[in-house]
Amino acid sequence: KSSAGTVTLSGTTGLDYEEGTWTAILGDSSGNNMNITANQCSYIKIGRAVVITGRLVTDSIGSASGQMLITGLPYSSKSDNSGASCIPLGYCAGISVTAGTTVTGRVSNNSTTMSMFMWTEADGMAGFDASNWSANGQCQFGGVYQSNS
């Protein structure tokens, strides 16, 4: 956590402000993690809003085989349905998906984990598995979710 303070907006009491870095873990739902060679993740938290950005690059998928997850988010999300949020992956390379497929992440309720999914117009939503990722895969992402605190 590199800095903290209070922000006061018109008509509000002070909101906690914090910014810093976090270490993402990329792996599957069974806890098999990939080897990350570039892990550049940061966050800004104002009140309950947590803005995350990240860039992950791997050189090995290890024994990962199931649905992919990014874990280690800097704050646990809210425990009710307003805590769920979608985080777009704006850039991916070294992945195997059909043209026109969108890869996204979903932060579930009361969680520090983002489950990865892929969407196509023809097929709808499906889990994004380690089989869709290559040893030299990479992604960049950014979005907002609400925290418990």
Side-chain angles (χ1 to χ4, degrees):
K1 298 177 182 176
S2 55
S3 65
T6 302
V7 175
T8 302
L9 304 173
S10 178
T12 68
T13 57
L15 297 172
D16 291 331
Y17 175 89
E18 182 181 303
E19 61 183 67
T21 60
W22 59 285
T23 302
I25 300 167
L26 182 64
D28 67 18
S29 55
S30 297
N32 300 309
N33 298 330
M34 298 183 179
N35 188 44
I36 298 175
T37 58
N39 194 332
Q40 300 157 319
C41 299
S42 61
Y43 72 93
I44 298 172
K45 182 177 181 289
I46 302 173
R48 287 185 171 208
V50 183
V51 179
I52 59 170
T53 60
R55 176 178 179 261
L56 302 175
V57 179
T58 62
D59 68 358
S60 166
I61 62 170
S63 58
S65 63
Q67 181 173 6
M68 290 187 56
L69 309 171
I70 296 174
T71 59
L73 298 177
Y75 286 91
S76 185
S77 62
K78 285 182 73 175
S79 57
D80 61 20
N81 286 334
S82 67
S85 183
C86 289
I87 307 292
L89 279 71
Y91 172 80
C92 292
I95 64 170
S96 175
V97 294
T98 305
T101 298
T102 301
V103 180
T104 188
R106 179 180 186 270
V107 179
S108 299
N109 301 353
N110 200 31
S111 175
T112 58
T113 298
M114 180 169 58
S115 303
M116 296 173 70
F117 294 93
M118 56 186 174
W119 299 80
T120 65
E121 185 176 333
D123 299 327
M125 180 188 78
F128 185 82
D129 294 331
S131 63
N132 298 110
W133 193 272
S134 67
N136 65 344
Q138 60 180 295
C139 67
Q140 293 175 335
F141 56 89
V144 179
Y145 70 96
Q146 289 189 26
S147 70
N148 272 326
S149 57

